[in-house]
Amino acid sequence: MRKIVLVSAVVLALMLATLVPLPARSEAAPEVRSLPFNALPVKEEFVDAVDFEAAGGAVEDPTPFWVDIVDAEGYDGGGGIYVAVLDTGLLEQWPFFFTNPLTGECRIKAEWGKGFTHDIWWDDTIGDFVIGPLRDDRGFITHPFRGSGHGTHVTSTIIGYYYSTALGRFWVRGVAPKVWIIPVLVLDAWEVPYPGGVARFTGGTWEMVSAGIKYVAELAETYKVKIIINMSLGGAAPSPMIEEAINYAISKGVIIVAAAGNSGEAGMVWPGAYPQVISAAAGGWTEQWLNHPTYGVRDPRTPFWWLSDVLDVPEKLNTKDYWGNNWQIYLEEFSSRPSPELGQFWMDLDVCTPGASIVGPYKPYFSTRVGYYYVWGTSMATPHVSAIAALVAEQYPHFNQFDMELVLKKAAARLPLASDGAYILDPWGFWDYKWDDHDYGSGWLTATNAFKIAKVKK
């Protein structure tokens, strides 16, 4: 992989436009410590504030580029399939974001929602922090200040969401609009007083994540339903406890999808690195940001450049783009590649989907600034894979984990990424990204190709 910064007068202006003065601080911010598993986006960029008071008027249902580029805009499926989002839970405003004003539907299975956490405190006797026993009474609502909107953003990619700002109101289409979402909180946030001040913790433990997986497996067995687990999270080391839970869930017919990680050449994270898990690498559209009102270089300039109604993704992704790239898709430089030093093999990474500039409802940890954000990360790619798996599972519910992995990998192999890299524009500069074969897994996954391969596999 090679990333080169190309500086020009235009790019320099773009870079300067992103520089803003930092507020003065009278004291240091509390230290933030991460537990073994977490979901931290690579980058996030505020789009607009939410207008919670808007009412009346026409509401449309445009398709965003990330749904278009995986060829899912023509499918209105996922009915009867459940996607369990094991993440940071849902923001307390979830009924607003996930109730479709066009249909009145809300596809959140709240009664099956669950949360797992621990109490954390400072123990003067041992002079250290203590993590208490696992609790299963947490609930799935994200804490309004401490928690992250990561799980809400992930959910929005799968089923769609209500976009309401001063500039417009509409329902943004998801990849699998008819699935049911089961929110399972396995990543939390804490503020813990101690003699040095206040320590902040984010993330989850082995116990939290494995308990969430087993809970979903038991739901699948009890209610005889097909469930896809989406884990847009990762840890730096394998966990026998989590792998055991994964194998148990697979034995109950659950399909498991996880993020590859955001560590680039340093290697994949777990559980995405387990061979039996379907892993997601993060790519993007080479023409994203071209029409942004501030950073863009092509007309028409619009804040809604990310909607295909404004700027359509070509049907053939091997079409030359504005920059002269031979393909319209690329691999993000942060997307984790398999590392032989960690015992990972190239076949451990499965497929690539969009994980750059995905717009959705979100807020950072330790913030009350709920809004719509562009977010980058393999966390954002993972729900595309889970949603496509749900579309396939609706028609082929007998597919098990290994069937689904084979189908998705063969489908992705139909669209390998270009071998010559790509030029990319984003708010931080203009880049020349390079990658090697299989750094992106089998290739770029689309819903259409998944159905073609599934029809043969059945």
Side-chain angles (χ1 to χ4, degrees):
M1 177 197 69
R2 179 168 59 92
K3 179 180 75 172
I4 301 174
V5 184
L6 305 176
V7 179
S8 67
V10 172
V11 174
L12 183 59
L14 296 179
M15 293 169 67
L16 291 174
T18 65
L19 298 177
V20 295
L22 296 175
R25 289 183 179 272
S26 58
E27 58 183 31
E31 178 185 2
V32 179
R33 310 180 186 198
S34 182
L35 297 185
F37 287 84
N38 215 335
L40 298 173
V42 177
K43 295 178 282 191
E44 57 195 39
E45 179 86 353
F46 185 76
V47 178
D48 207 347
V50 183
D51 184 356
F52 289 107
E53 304 301 324
V59 178
E60 300 174 351
D61 57 344
T63 298
F65 79 85
W66 55 88
V67 173
D68 194 357
I69 206 166
V70 296
D71 213 13
E73 73 277 13
Y75 301 98
D76 193 27
I81 306 299
Y82 296 78
V83 177
V85 177
L86 274 60
D87 213 288
T88 61
L90 295 180
L91 294 171
E92 60 184 349
Q93 300 91 347
W94 67 264
F96 177 86
F97 291 124
F98 297 128
T99 300
N100 187 335
L102 297 170
T103 65
E105 285 186 318
C106 181
R107 308 297 294 182
I108 305 297
K109 192 72 171 176
E111 61 269 34
W112 287 1
K114 190 79 170 175
F116 299 90
T117 193
H118 302 267
D119 294 319
I120 302 179
W121 66 92
W122 174 263
D123 189 322
D124 285 326
T125 305
I126 63 173
D128 204 351
F129 295 97
V130 175
I131 298 178
L134 182 71
R135 288 174 35 212
D136 66 356
D137 58 350
R138 165 67 176 79
F140 66 85
I141 301 299
T142 305
H143 189 277
F145 171 68
R146 297 193 303 263
S148 165
H150 189 275
T152 303
H153 193 285
V154 166
T155 297
S156 73
T157 297
I158 299 171
I159 60 172
Y161 63 95
Y162 184 39
Y163 186 95
S164 175
T165 73
L167 295 179
R169 294 180 297 108
F170 41 84
W171 178 259
V172 179
R173 182 184 175 84
V175 179
K178 297 300 184 182
V179 305
W180 285 100
I181 297 293
I182 307 171
V184 183
L185 186 149
V186 297
L187 304 174
D188 211 347
W190 300 259
E191 286 188 303
V192 184
Y194 74 112
V198 175
R200 289 174 170 175
F201 294 83
T202 63
T205 63
W206 291 2
E207 292 87 352
M208 291 167 69
V209 176
S210 61
I213 297 169
K214 288 182 177 178
Y215 169 70
V216 173
E218 290 160 4
L219 285 177
E221 183 175 40
T222 301
Y223 294 99
K224 309 302 179 188
V225 292
K226 194 69 175 181
I227 304 180
I228 319 294
I229 286 181
N230 184 100
M231 288 190 283
S232 291
L233 52 80
S239 160
M241 179 185 293
I242 290 178
E243 186 173 21
E244 178 187 356
I246 286 170
N247 292 336
Y248 173 72
I250 290 173
S251 75
K252 302 302 180 184
V254 175
I255 307 296
I256 299 188
V257 182
N262 302 326
S263 303
E265 294 180 340
M268 297 170 66
V269 298
W270 283 269
Y274 288 123
Q276 66 270 42
V277 171
I278 300 169
S279 52
W285 181 27
T286 60
E287 293 200 345
Q288 60 195 30
W289 294 94
L290 271 178
N291 295 74
H292 187 274
T294 302
Y295 309 119
V297 295
R298 181 177 68 183
D299 291 328
R301 311 290 181 87
T302 169
F304 298 124
W305 64 266
W306 46 277
L307 297 176
S308 291
D309 302 60
V310 175
L311 193 63
D312 194 29
V313 177
E315 289 301 312
K316 293 186 177 180
L317 296 178
N318 61 343
T319 303
K320 187 163 286 191
D321 72 354
Y322 175 89
W323 305 111
N325 296 313
N326 291 317
W327 285 70
Q328 301 252 340
I329 48 178
Y330 72 96
L331 181 68
E332 273 287 351
E333 54 89 21
F334 59 75
S335 187
S336 287
R337 285 79 163 148
S339 170
E341 295 179 3
L342 298 177
Q344 299 167 357
F345 300 93
W346 66 266
M347 68 281 289
D348 293 336
L349 180 56
D350 294 317
V351 299
C352 185
T353 53
S357 311
I358 309 301
V359 180
Y362 176 81
K363 84 170 193 67
Y365 277 120
F366 304 105
S367 168
T368 57
R369 196 183 191 192
V370 175
Y372 301 101
Y373 288 73
Y374 301 106
V375 187
W376 286 253
T378 55
S379 284
M380 285 58 250
T382 307
H384 291 83
V385 181
S386 297
I388 292 173
L391 293 176
V392 172
E394 180 187 16
Q395 294 192 21
Y396 305 96
H398 61 281
F399 279 5
N400 61 24
Q401 176 78 5
F402 307 103
D403 295 330
M404 188 66 75
E405 184 173 23
L406 178 64
V407 165
L408 298 187
K409 291 186 77 160
K410 284 191 171 184
R414 295 169 67 97
L415 276 174
L417 274 70
S419 60
D420 56 352
Y423 297 110
I424 302 301
L425 174 70
D426 68 22
W428 296 275
F430 185 58
W431 313 95
D432 178 11
Y433 286 164
K434 302 293 183 184
W435 53 83
D436 295 326
D437 287 344
H438 301 299
D439 281 353
Y440 47 80
S442 297
W444 189 267
L445 179 64
T446 68
T448 297
N449 283 337
F451 278 117
K452 287 178 181 177
I453 300 299
K455 186 176 181 180
V456 175
K457 172 67 177 66
K458 70 174 183 178

PDB file of all heavy atoms in Angstrom, residues 300-320:
ATOM      1  N   PRO A 300     -22.597  20.549 -10.558  1.00  0.00           N
ATOM      2  CA  PRO A 300     -23.174  21.477  -9.583  1.00  0.00           C
ATOM      3  C   PRO A 300     -22.651  21.224  -8.169  1.00  0.00           C
ATOM      4  O   PRO A 300     -22.474  20.076  -7.768  1.00  0.00           O
ATOM      5  CB  PRO A 300     -24.670  21.161  -9.668  1.00  0.00           C
ATOM      6  CG  PRO A 300     -24.705  19.697 -10.025  1.00  0.00           C
ATOM      7  CD  PRO A 300     -23.546  19.484 -10.942  1.00  0.00           C
ATOM      8  N   ARG A 301     -22.413  22.309  -7.422  1.00  0.00           N
ATOM      9  CA  ARG A 301     -21.991  22.186  -6.028  1.00  0.00           C
ATOM     10  C   ARG A 301     -23.239  22.121  -5.160  1.00  0.00           C
ATOM     11  O   ARG A 301     -24.101  22.996  -5.250  1.00  0.00           O
ATOM     12  CB  ARG A 301     -21.150  23.387  -5.598  1.00  0.00           C
ATOM     13  CG  ARG A 301     -20.014  23.754  -6.551  1.00  0.00           C
ATOM     14  CD  ARG A 301     -18.900  22.745  -6.540  1.00  0.00           C
ATOM     15  NE  ARG A 301     -17.825  23.132  -7.442  1.00  0.00           N
ATOM     16  CZ  ARG A 301     -16.808  23.932  -7.097  1.00  0.00           C
ATOM     17  NH1 ARG A 301     -16.735  24.408  -5.877  1.00  0.00           N
ATOM     18  NH2 ARG A 301     -15.880  24.230  -7.982  1.00  0.00           N
ATOM     19  N   THR A 302     -23.324  21.104  -4.329  1.00  0.00           N
ATOM     20  CA  THR A 302     -24.525  20.928  -3.507  1.00  0.00           C
ATOM     21  C   THR A 302     -24.189  20.171  -2.231  1.00  0.00           C
ATOM     22  O   THR A 302     -23.363  19.244  -2.264  1.00  0.00           O
ATOM     23  CB  THR A 302     -25.619  20.170  -4.274  1.00  0.00           C
ATOM     24  OG1 THR A 302     -26.667  19.792  -3.368  1.00  0.00           O
ATOM     25  CG2 THR A 302     -25.071  18.913  -4.934  1.00  0.00           C
ATOM     26  N   PRO A 303     -24.819  20.531  -1.096  1.00  0.00           N
ATOM     27  CA  PRO A 303     -24.588  19.762   0.129  1.00  0.00           C
ATOM     28  C   PRO A 303     -25.147  18.349   0.058  1.00  0.00           C
ATOM     29  O   PRO A 303     -24.810  17.507   0.883  1.00  0.00           O
ATOM     30  CB  PRO A 303     -25.309  20.592   1.202  1.00  0.00           C
ATOM     31  CG  PRO A 303     -26.340  21.383   0.457  1.00  0.00           C
ATOM     32  CD  PRO A 303     -25.718  21.672  -0.874  1.00  0.00           C
ATOM     33  N   PHE A 304     -25.994  18.093  -0.946  1.00  0.00           N
ATOM     34  CA  PHE A 304     -26.578  16.759  -1.096  1.00  0.00           C
ATOM     35  C   PHE A 304     -25.912  15.961  -2.213  1.00  0.00           C
ATOM     36  O   PHE A 304     -26.533  15.121  -2.853  1.00  0.00           O
ATOM     37  CB  PHE A 304     -28.089  16.874  -1.338  1.00  0.00           C
ATOM     38  CG  PHE A 304     -28.830  17.508  -0.190  1.00  0.00           C
ATOM     39  CD1 PHE A 304     -29.613  18.629  -0.381  1.00  0.00           C
ATOM     40  CD2 PHE A 304     -28.722  16.984   1.091  1.00  0.00           C
ATOM     41  CE1 PHE A 304     -30.290  19.224   0.679  1.00  0.00           C
ATOM     42  CE2 PHE A 304     -29.395  17.562   2.155  1.00  0.00           C
ATOM     43  CZ  PHE A 304     -30.180  18.686   1.957  1.00  0.00           C
ATOM     44  N   TRP A 305     -24.616  16.208  -2.417  1.00  0.00           N
ATOM     45  CA  TRP A 305     -23.872  15.484  -3.447  1.00  0.00           C
ATOM     46  C   TRP A 305     -23.918  13.974  -3.217  1.00  0.00           C
ATOM     47  O   TRP A 305     -23.766  13.185  -4.150  1.00  0.00           O
ATOM     48  CB  TRP A 305     -22.406  15.933  -3.459  1.00  0.00           C
ATOM     49  CG  TRP A 305     -21.670  15.596  -2.191  1.00  0.00           C
ATOM     50  CD1 TRP A 305     -21.490  16.408  -1.110  1.00  0.00           C
ATOM     51  CD2 TRP A 305     -21.038  14.350  -1.856  1.00  0.00           C
ATOM     52  NE1 TRP A 305     -20.787  15.753  -0.124  1.00  0.00           N
ATOM     53  CE2 TRP A 305     -20.497  14.486  -0.564  1.00  0.00           C
ATOM     54  CE3 TRP A 305     -20.872  13.136  -2.522  1.00  0.00           C
ATOM     55  CZ2 TRP A 305     -19.807  13.457   0.083  1.00  0.00           C
ATOM     56  CZ3 TRP A 305     -20.187  12.107  -1.892  1.00  0.00           C
ATOM     57  CH2 TRP A 305     -19.659  12.273  -0.608  1.00  0.00           C
ATOM     58  N   TRP A 306     -24.148  13.554  -1.953  1.00  0.00           N
ATOM     59  CA  TRP A 306     -24.093  12.130  -1.601  1.00  0.00           C
ATOM     60  C   TRP A 306     -25.362  11.369  -1.970  1.00  0.00           C
ATOM     61  O   TRP A 306     -25.433  10.150  -1.780  1.00  0.00           O
ATOM     62  CB  TRP A 306     -23.812  11.969  -0.108  1.00  0.00           C
ATOM     63  CG  TRP A 306     -24.617  12.849   0.804  1.00  0.00           C
ATOM     64  CD1 TRP A 306     -24.353  14.149   1.132  1.00  0.00           C
ATOM     65  CD2 TRP A 306     -25.813  12.495   1.503  1.00  0.00           C
ATOM     66  NE1 TRP A 306     -25.320  14.642   1.991  1.00  0.00           N
ATOM     67  CE2 TRP A 306     -26.214  13.640   2.247  1.00  0.00           C
ATOM     68  CE3 TRP A 306     -26.570  11.336   1.596  1.00  0.00           C
ATOM     69  CZ2 TRP A 306     -27.351  13.649   3.057  1.00  0.00           C
ATOM     70  CZ3 TRP A 306     -27.703  11.340   2.400  1.00  0.00           C
ATOM     71  CH2 TRP A 306     -28.077  12.494   3.125  1.00  0.00           C
ATOM     72  N   LEU A 307     -26.349  12.076  -2.525  1.00  0.00           N
ATOM     73  CA  LEU A 307     -27.571  11.430  -2.978  1.00  0.00           C
ATOM     74  C   LEU A 307     -27.487  11.147  -4.478  1.00  0.00           C
ATOM     75  O   LEU A 307     -27.135  12.033  -5.265  1.00  0.00           O
ATOM     76  CB  LEU A 307     -28.784  12.314  -2.690  1.00  0.00           C
ATOM     77  CG  LEU A 307     -29.057  12.596  -1.216  1.00  0.00           C
ATOM     78  CD1 LEU A 307     -30.223  13.568  -1.071  1.00  0.00           C
ATOM     79  CD2 LEU A 307     -29.339  11.302  -0.454  1.00  0.00           C
ATOM     80  N   SER A 308     -27.819   9.929  -4.864  1.00  0.00           N
ATOM     81  CA  SER A 308     -27.726   9.545  -6.275  1.00  0.00           C
ATOM     82  C   SER A 308     -28.720  10.292  -7.146  1.00  0.00           C
ATOM     83  O   SER A 308     -28.550  10.357  -8.368  1.00  0.00           O
ATOM     84  CB  SER A 308     -27.935   8.037  -6.426  1.00  0.00           C
ATOM     85  OG  SER A 308     -26.840   7.339  -5.879  1.00  0.00           O
ATOM     86  N   ASP A 309     -29.768  10.859  -6.519  1.00  0.00           N
ATOM     87  CA  ASP A 309     -30.695  11.685  -7.285  1.00  0.00           C
ATOM     88  C   ASP A 309     -29.993  12.940  -7.808  1.00  0.00           C
ATOM     89  O   ASP A 309     -30.397  13.531  -8.807  1.00  0.00           O
ATOM     90  CB  ASP A 309     -31.882  12.106  -6.408  1.00  0.00           C
ATOM     91  CG  ASP A 309     -32.623  10.909  -5.853  1.00  0.00           C
ATOM     92  OD1 ASP A 309     -31.965  10.121  -5.137  1.00  0.00           O
ATOM     93  OD2 ASP A 309     -33.823  10.760  -6.102  1.00  0.00           O
ATOM     94  N   VAL A 310     -28.927  13.343  -7.104  1.00  0.00           N
ATOM     95  CA  VAL A 310     -28.159  14.515  -7.509  1.00  0.00           C
ATOM     96  C   VAL A 310     -26.997  14.101  -8.400  1.00  0.00           C
ATOM     97  O   VAL A 310     -26.737  14.701  -9.446  1.00  0.00           O
ATOM     98  CB  VAL A 310     -27.627  15.262  -6.262  1.00  0.00           C
ATOM     99  CG1 VAL A 310     -26.718  16.418  -6.668  1.00  0.00           C
ATOM    100  CG2 VAL A 310     -28.786  15.753  -5.404  1.00  0.00           C
ATOM    101  N   LEU A 311     -26.278  13.083  -8.002  1.00  0.00           N
ATOM    102  CA  LEU A 311     -25.093  12.633  -8.721  1.00  0.00           C
ATOM    103  C   LEU A 311     -25.125  11.109  -8.774  1.00  0.00           C
ATOM    104  O   LEU A 311     -24.909  10.441  -7.768  1.00  0.00           O
ATOM    105  CB  LEU A 311     -23.833  13.122  -7.994  1.00  0.00           C
ATOM    106  CG  LEU A 311     -22.521  13.009  -8.750  1.00  0.00           C
ATOM    107  CD1 LEU A 311     -22.549  13.892  -9.999  1.00  0.00           C
ATOM    108  CD2 LEU A 311     -21.353  13.427  -7.859  1.00  0.00           C
ATOM    109  N   ASP A 312     -25.380  10.555  -9.925  1.00  0.00           N
ATOM    110  CA  ASP A 312     -25.621   9.120 -10.054  1.00  0.00           C
ATOM    111  C   ASP A 312     -24.314   8.347 -10.191  1.00  0.00           C
ATOM    112  O   ASP A 312     -23.387   8.771 -10.886  1.00  0.00           O
ATOM    113  CB  ASP A 312     -26.504   8.862 -11.273  1.00  0.00           C
ATOM    114  CG  ASP A 312     -27.082   7.467 -11.284  1.00  0.00           C
ATOM    115  OD1 ASP A 312     -27.291   6.903 -10.205  1.00  0.00           O
ATOM    116  OD2 ASP A 312     -27.319   6.939 -12.376  1.00  0.00           O
ATOM    117  N   VAL A 313     -24.247   7.203  -9.526  1.00  0.00           N
ATOM    118  CA  VAL A 313     -23.109   6.301  -9.681  1.00  0.00           C
ATOM    119  C   VAL A 313     -23.290   5.529 -10.980  1.00  0.00           C
ATOM    120  O   VAL A 313     -24.365   4.991 -11.239  1.00  0.00           O
ATOM    121  CB  VAL A 313     -23.034   5.316  -8.496  1.00  0.00           C
ATOM    122  CG1 VAL A 313     -21.894   4.326  -8.702  1.00  0.00           C
ATOM    123  CG2 VAL A 313     -22.852   6.068  -7.182  1.00  0.00           C
ATOM    124  N   PRO A 314     -22.250   5.438 -11.830  1.00  0.00           N
ATOM    125  CA  PRO A 314     -22.392   4.690 -13.086  1.00  0.00           C
ATOM    126  C   PRO A 314     -22.734   3.222 -12.832  1.00  0.00           C
ATOM    127  O   PRO A 314     -22.295   2.628 -11.848  1.00  0.00           O
ATOM    128  CB  PRO A 314     -21.003   4.809 -13.731  1.00  0.00           C
ATOM    129  CG  PRO A 314     -20.380   5.995 -13.089  1.00  0.00           C
ATOM    130  CD  PRO A 314     -20.924   6.055 -11.697  1.00  0.00           C
ATOM    131  N   GLU A 315     -23.527   2.646 -13.724  1.00  0.00           N
ATOM    132  CA  GLU A 315     -23.881   1.236 -13.596  1.00  0.00           C
ATOM    133  C   GLU A 315     -22.646   0.355 -13.749  1.00  0.00           C
ATOM    134  O   GLU A 315     -22.515  -0.669 -13.083  1.00  0.00           O
ATOM    135  CB  GLU A 315     -24.934   0.855 -14.638  1.00  0.00           C
ATOM    136  CG  GLU A 315     -26.308   1.439 -14.365  1.00  0.00           C
ATOM    137  CD  GLU A 315     -26.850   1.007 -13.013  1.00  0.00           C
ATOM    138  OE1 GLU A 315     -26.805  -0.203 -12.700  1.00  0.00           O
ATOM    139  OE2 GLU A 315     -27.306   1.888 -12.253  1.00  0.00           O
ATOM    140  N   LYS A 316     -21.738   0.738 -14.644  1.00  0.00           N
ATOM    141  CA  LYS A 316     -20.492   0.003 -14.832  1.00  0.00           C
ATOM    142  C   LYS A 316     -19.388   0.686 -14.040  1.00  0.00           C
ATOM    143  O   LYS A 316     -18.993   1.810 -14.351  1.00  0.00           O
ATOM    144  CB  LYS A 316     -20.134  -0.064 -16.320  1.00  0.00           C
ATOM    145  CG  LYS A 316     -21.097  -0.900 -17.152  1.00  0.00           C
ATOM    146  CD  LYS A 316     -20.610  -1.042 -18.584  1.00  0.00           C
ATOM    147  CE  LYS A 316     -21.534  -1.949 -19.387  1.00  0.00           C
ATOM    148  NZ  LYS A 316     -21.072  -2.111 -20.792  1.00  0.00           N
ATOM    149  N   LEU A 317     -18.910  -0.001 -13.012  1.00  0.00           N
ATOM    150  CA  LEU A 317     -17.917   0.607 -12.132  1.00  0.00           C
ATOM    151  C   LEU A 317     -16.520   0.645 -12.754  1.00  0.00           C
ATOM    152  O   LEU A 317     -15.621   1.295 -12.213  1.00  0.00           O
ATOM    153  CB  LEU A 317     -17.886  -0.141 -10.802  1.00  0.00           C
ATOM    154  CG  LEU A 317     -19.187  -0.057  -9.997  1.00  0.00           C
ATOM    155  CD1 LEU A 317     -19.078  -0.870  -8.708  1.00  0.00           C
ATOM    156  CD2 LEU A 317     -19.544   1.394  -9.679  1.00  0.00           C
ATOM    157  N   ASN A 318     -16.327  -0.043 -13.874  1.00  0.00           N
ATOM    158  CA  ASN A 318     -15.045   0.053 -14.576  1.00  0.00           C
ATOM    159  C   ASN A 318     -15.076   1.141 -15.641  1.00  0.00           C
ATOM    160  O   ASN A 318     -14.456   1.043 -16.695  1.00  0.00           O
ATOM    161  CB  ASN A 318     -14.671  -1.297 -15.200  1.00  0.00           C
ATOM    162  CG  ASN A 318     -15.689  -1.777 -16.219  1.00  0.00           C
ATOM    163  OD1 ASN A 318     -16.814  -1.291 -16.257  1.00  0.00           O
ATOM    164  ND2 ASN A 318     -15.294  -2.744 -17.055  1.00  0.00           N
ATOM    165  N   THR A 319     -15.817   2.211 -15.337  1.00  0.00           N
ATOM    166  CA  THR A 319     -15.901   3.397 -16.189  1.00  0.00           C
ATOM    167  C   THR A 319     -14.889   4.433 -15.728  1.00  0.00           C
ATOM    168  O   THR A 319     -14.741   4.669 -14.527  1.00  0.00           O
ATOM    169  CB  THR A 319     -17.317   4.002 -16.120  1.00  0.00           C
ATOM    170  OG1 THR A 319     -18.263   3.011 -16.490  1.00  0.00           O
ATOM    171  CG2 THR A 319     -17.442   5.206 -17.036  1.00  0.00           C
ATOM    172  N   LYS A 320     -14.192   5.068 -16.658  1.00  0.00           N
ATOM    173  CA  LYS A 320     -13.204   6.089 -16.300  1.00  0.00           C
ATOM    174  C   LYS A 320     -13.905   7.264 -15.618  1.00  0.00           C
ATOM    175  O   LYS A 320     -14.988   7.684 -16.024  1.00  0.00           O
ATOM    176  CB  LYS A 320     -12.455   6.576 -17.526  1.00  0.00           C
ATOM    177  CG  LYS A 320     -11.299   7.523 -17.216  1.00  0.00           C
ATOM    178  CD  LYS A 320     -10.326   7.657 -18.380  1.00  0.00           C
ATOM    179  CE  LYS A 320      -9.480   6.406 -18.522  1.00  0.00           C
ATOM    180  NZ  LYS A 320      -8.343   6.595 -19.466  1.00  0.00           N
TER     181      LYS A 320
END
